[in-house]
Amino acid sequence: MFLDPESNMVDYISELPDDVLSYILKSISLKDLLKISILSKRWCKLWTLRKDIYFDIFNVFEETVEKLLQTGYLIDVPDSPMCDEETEKELLQAGYDIPDRPIVRRLTNLNTIRDEFVKRVDQFVKNFHGTKIDSFLVKFYLNCDQSAIIDQWITFALAREVERIDLLFLGLPYAQNNLRNFYKFPLDLLLETKASTLKHLSLECCLIRHPTNNDFSPLKKLRFLSLNHVKLDEIFIETLLSNCGLLEELHLFSCNFTASMPKIVSSSLLILKIINGYISPRINSLVEVDLTLLDCLKLTSLEYDGYGLHTMNINTPMLKCIDFFISYEEDLNIFDLFATFLQLETMRINITSTVSHKVL
């Protein structure tokens, strides 16, 4: 039985089993976790039972938006007008209310907050003595300048048999698609730690290179992969698909490939989402590329926004759900293909205004 030293009342919370307290700790901010660690010897150890670790501006600083604005960690800056004069006139005639001032964007003030954010996260990581975590997430504007310390965080997570890693570095509006500043995700770290526990990997605004000797064995348990604004070689995706036989869900959002969109061939994929793929033929230029081959016998859900639907080679007999964006008239021919999907249950088609209505 645990007693409060001041009131001599029974401390029922401290009597709860560790697994229950660990669940409660999920909803407590990092700052409060450090505070409660001084309550007793038991609480000092309990906070390390937290299995899901995440860091964003609100979690790390434990402040409201209003407070973050007061401290200067968040700033409001004027943005460009919502529309040009002609469009504004049309909207007013249609009865829409147009603001008489520029749109205000709320941004993170990196000049005052980035170093402090990194410092606090690193302090937490170095003082965390738990031996097992389930997930590790960082959502903030970080890049190659913080590579060394981010590598240490990943090593920390891998050493604790983490199953989910999310590194969401939110390049825009700060990076302006400057790929050279993106953080390079160190696949070789996975080789060093034999990270066979990893099941979920989500990267945003990163670079990826092939692992040494094309060894994808540390990703053999991977079931979910999401890449958003990631620079990589299309061969990487093709090789990963052939080596990761448990991968069930793949997201490729605005990725920058070397020469073409990867060919998606998998015996395990169930869900696939591809939103725009690009190559960089010249410095500071992006050209959209299309998906040419989709060969996934188990695929049940497909979301695709890109060019080349009418020429795509598709082999997906189990497809049940389709979500397509059509921006070119020639892609309307894809409707003939839909008739061959005998298992199809749901179809969502978004057709842009540039496509002639008379064709429909």
Side-chain angles (χ1 to χ4, degrees), residues 258-320:
T258 303
S260 65
M261 184 82 78
K263 297 177 176 62
I264 307 299
V265 180
S266 171
S267 60
S268 60
L269 269 188
L270 301 177
I271 300 173
L272 175 64
K273 297 182 180 182
I274 298 180
I275 309 298
N276 300 328
Y278 301 93
I279 61 173
S280 301
R282 299 182 305 276
I283 297 177
N284 296 326
S285 71
L286 293 175
V287 175
E288 188 173 353
V289 291
D290 57 293
L291 178 63
T292 59
L293 175 62
L294 177 58
D295 189 352
C296 302
L297 296 181
K298 293 184 179 180
L299 197 71
T300 60
S301 177
L302 172 61
E303 180 178 345
Y304 181 72
D305 182 0
Y307 180 68
L309 290 173
H310 64 295
T311 59
M312 190 189 306
N313 185 357
I314 302 180
N315 181 24
T316 54
M318 302 302 295
L319 205 57
K320 294 183 178 181

Side-chain angles (χ1 to χ4, degrees), residues 133-136 157-158 160-165 197-198:
I133 62 174
D134 295 331
S135 64
F136 182 83
L158 295 176
R160 287 157 180 78
E161 300 179 337
V162 68
E163 296 184 359
R164 172 171 181 162
I165 292 179
T197 58
L198 195 60

Side-chain angles (χ1 to χ4, degrees), residues 43-309:
W43 278 100
C44 182
K45 296 179 180 178
L46 278 175
W47 77 278
T48 63
L49 291 175
R50 181 161 173 167
K51 303 297 185 183
D52 299 293
I53 300 176
Y54 63 93
F55 306 99
D56 61 19
I57 186 173
F58 301 103
N59 178 263
V60 169
F61 292 93
E62 196 201 359
E63 302 288 1
T64 64
V65 171
E66 291 73 18
K67 187 66 175 180
L68 290 170
L69 286 168
Q70 291 175 10
T71 58
Y73 288 160
L74 287 180
I75 55 176
D76 286 339
V77 297
D79 198 1
S80 57
M82 178 184 283
C83 53
D84 56 34
E85 292 183 3
E86 183 176 350
T87 303
E88 180 176 327
K89 182 178 179 181
E90 293 177 356
L91 290 173
L92 288 171
Q93 291 176 346
Y96 290 96
D97 182 24
I98 304 299
D100 56 1
R101 60 179 176 82
I103 299 173
V104 173
R105 302 179 70 185
R106 184 157 292 161
L107 305 179
T108 302
N109 190 350
L110 296 185
N111 293 328
T112 62
I113 196 175
R114 180 144 59 188
D115 289 345
E116 183 65 21
F117 179 91
V118 172
K119 176 184 175 181
R120 294 193 184 194
V121 173
D122 197 51
Q123 181 182 23
F124 177 89
V125 167
K126 289 179 177 177
N127 285 280
F128 185 90
H129 301 295
T131 58
K132 176 71 172 71
I133 62 174
D134 295 331
S135 64
F136 182 83
L137 179 148
V138 180
K139 184 177 182 181
F140 197 72
Y141 298 92
L142 302 179
N143 55 37
C144 62
D145 293 337
Q146 295 82 38
S147 291
I149 200 165
I150 296 172
D151 288 354
Q152 294 174 19
W153 298 346
I154 295 174
T155 300
F156 156 86
L158 295 176
R160 287 157 180 78
E161 300 179 337
V162 68
E163 296 184 359
R164 172 171 181 162
I165 292 179
D166 297 84
L167 302 178
L168 312 178
F169 292 154
L170 310 172
L172 295 174
Y174 302 98
Q176 298 299 328
N177 279 333
N178 188 348
L179 302 177
R180 292 173 296 180
N181 289 337
F182 280 5
Y183 167 74
K184 180 180 177 181
F185 183 75
L187 281 170
D188 284 347
L189 274 184
L190 278 63
L191 292 172
E192 295 174 8
T193 55
K194 304 298 180 184
S196 59
T197 58
L198 195 60
K199 297 180 180 179
H200 175 119
L201 179 61
S202 181
L203 303 177
E204 182 173 345
C205 294
C206 294
L207 299 173
I208 296 182
R209 295 289 184 267
H210 288 269
T212 301
N213 299 324
N214 279 342
D215 185 357
F216 285 83
S217 59
L219 298 175
K220 63 183 180 182
K221 292 187 178 180
L222 199 64
R223 296 180 179 273
F224 176 97
L225 176 64
S226 176
L227 305 178
N228 188 344
H229 284 86
V230 170
K231 169 71 174 179
L232 72 164
D233 189 328
E234 57 273 10
I235 303 301
F236 172 87
I237 293 294
E238 295 173 1
T239 307
L240 181 139
L241 288 172
S242 64
N243 283 274
C244 299
L246 298 179
L247 190 65
E248 296 178 341
E249 187 163 352
L250 174 64
H251 300 176
L252 300 174
F253 298 150
S254 298
C255 288
N256 191 305
F257 300 101
T258 303
S260 65
M261 184 82 78
K263 297 177 176 62
I264 307 299
V265 180
S266 171
S267 60
S268 60
L269 269 188
L270 301 177
I271 300 173
L272 175 64
K273 297 182 180 182
I274 298 180
I275 309 298
N276 300 328
Y278 301 93
I279 61 173
S280 301
R282 299 182 305 276
I283 297 177
N284 296 326
S285 71
L286 293 175
V287 175
E288 188 173 353
V289 291
D290 57 293
L291 178 63
T292 59
L293 175 62
L294 177 58
D295 189 352
C296 302
L297 296 181
K298 293 184 179 180
L299 197 71
T300 60
S301 177
L302 172 61
E303 180 178 345
Y304 181 72
D305 182 0
Y307 180 68
L309 290 173

Side-chain angles (χ1 to χ4, degrees), residues 33-45:
L33 278 176
L34 294 173
K35 287 180 180 178
I36 67 173
S37 67
I38 64 174
L39 294 178
S40 68
K41 291 183 179 180
R42 185 164 188 260
W43 278 100
C44 182
K45 296 179 180 178

